[in-house]
Amino acid sequence: MTNTTGNTAAAGWYDDPSGSGQKRWWDGARWTDHLHDPSLEVYGAVATPVMGARTSVYNIYIWLVVLLPLLSIVSLMSFDMSGYLRGAMEGGNSLSGMLSPSYLLITALNWGIYLVMVLFAYLDSKKLGRDGFVRPFPWAWAFLSSAVYVIGRSVVAKRRSGRGLLPIWVTIAVYVITVVVAIVQVANMLSVMFSTFQFS
């Protein structure tokens, strides 16, 4: 589709070239399946368009948002909790004993994972917009947690396309794994503390 200057028109809603009387989404290169009925607009409010059956609701960014927490699990499993606790106790609970290099590295890694996850949520939201999702779930909710963004995004995708809940189920699986690893680490920590107190 070209505009009056002969250039390709920008992505947006245009009159359906098939003459349906509805608006069809032009993605900047081709017509898509997405249709919008202007007659459903009430008092200036735009009805949420329903996505076509071929609309992709998944992309690499949402899977990175969902799976990035697994890196935190790996870092938690590799962290020597026993050595950290012994060092903290031998240091008399001093700040230098508690802020070991491995602890600082794990903390920095987890903050990095958090910031990258927010970036991927932003990229996912933009990709959905380019694919024809009008007003996708706001990416800024990812600042609260990846789970908040994944749940909100999946619910909006499900309402508009009839599918898109798989990221929620994968997120639940990731959180179950996280809880199991955390329980194992806490159990190790408690056994180290009890053995330290028994021999002191």
Side-chain angles (χ1 to χ4, degrees):
M1 182 173 106
T2 57
N3 57 23
T4 55
T5 62
N7 298 324
T8 302
W13 294 101
Y14 297 97
D15 291 332
D16 186 4
S18 67
S20 68
Q22 298 183 352
K23 301 281 187 181
R24 186 173 291 273
W25 181 259
W26 172 260
D27 67 5
R30 62 180 176 79
W31 292 106
T32 67
D33 294 352
H34 317 319
L35 291 172
H36 167 61
D37 188 351
S39 67
L40 297 177
E41 297 176 11
V42 180
Y43 302 112
V46 178
T48 302
V50 176
M51 302 294 103
R54 291 183 299 177
T55 304
S56 175
V57 294
Y58 306 121
N59 58 60
I60 186 65
Y61 304 118
I62 187 58
W63 294 120
L64 289 170
V65 169
V66 169
L67 297 175
L68 267 176
L70 288 174
L71 289 180
S72 295
I73 297 172
V74 171
S75 68
L76 182 61
M77 289 173 62
S78 64
F79 184 61
D80 181 14
M81 185 66 74
S82 303
Y84 173 72
L85 285 173
R86 285 194 187 95
M89 291 178 182
E90 289 169 2
N93 290 329
S94 68
L95 189 60
S96 60
M98 297 176 75
L99 298 179
S100 67
S102 60
Y103 173 81
L104 294 174
L105 180 64
I106 295 289
T107 303
L109 176 65
N110 286 325
W111 274 105
I113 291 169
Y114 167 77
L115 294 174
V116 169
M117 180 273 301
V118 171
L119 172 65
F120 286 140
Y122 168 79
L123 294 173
D124 172 62
S125 182
K126 294 300 177 188
K127 176 79 168 82
L128 287 175
R130 286 193 305 274
D131 289 343
F133 278 84
V134 177
R135 296 184 310 278
F137 188 72
W139 64 270
W141 284 99
F143 281 109
L144 290 181
S145 80
S146 62
V148 170
Y149 176 75
V150 169
I151 291 169
R153 184 247 198 228
S154 298
V155 168
V156 169
K158 172 71 173 170
R159 285 182 181 164
R160 296 187 187 172
S161 69
R163 61 201 188 286
L165 295 181
L166 186 57
I168 291 179
W169 296 111
V170 177
T171 297
I172 291 171
V174 168
Y175 271 82
V176 167
I177 293 169
T178 303
V179 168
V180 169
V181 170
I183 289 172
V184 169
Q185 286 292 72
V186 168
N188 289 339
M189 179 183 70
L190 291 175
S191 68
V192 169
M193 290 176 66
F194 288 139
S195 64
T196 302
F197 288 133
Q198 283 177 349
F199 293 110
S200 60

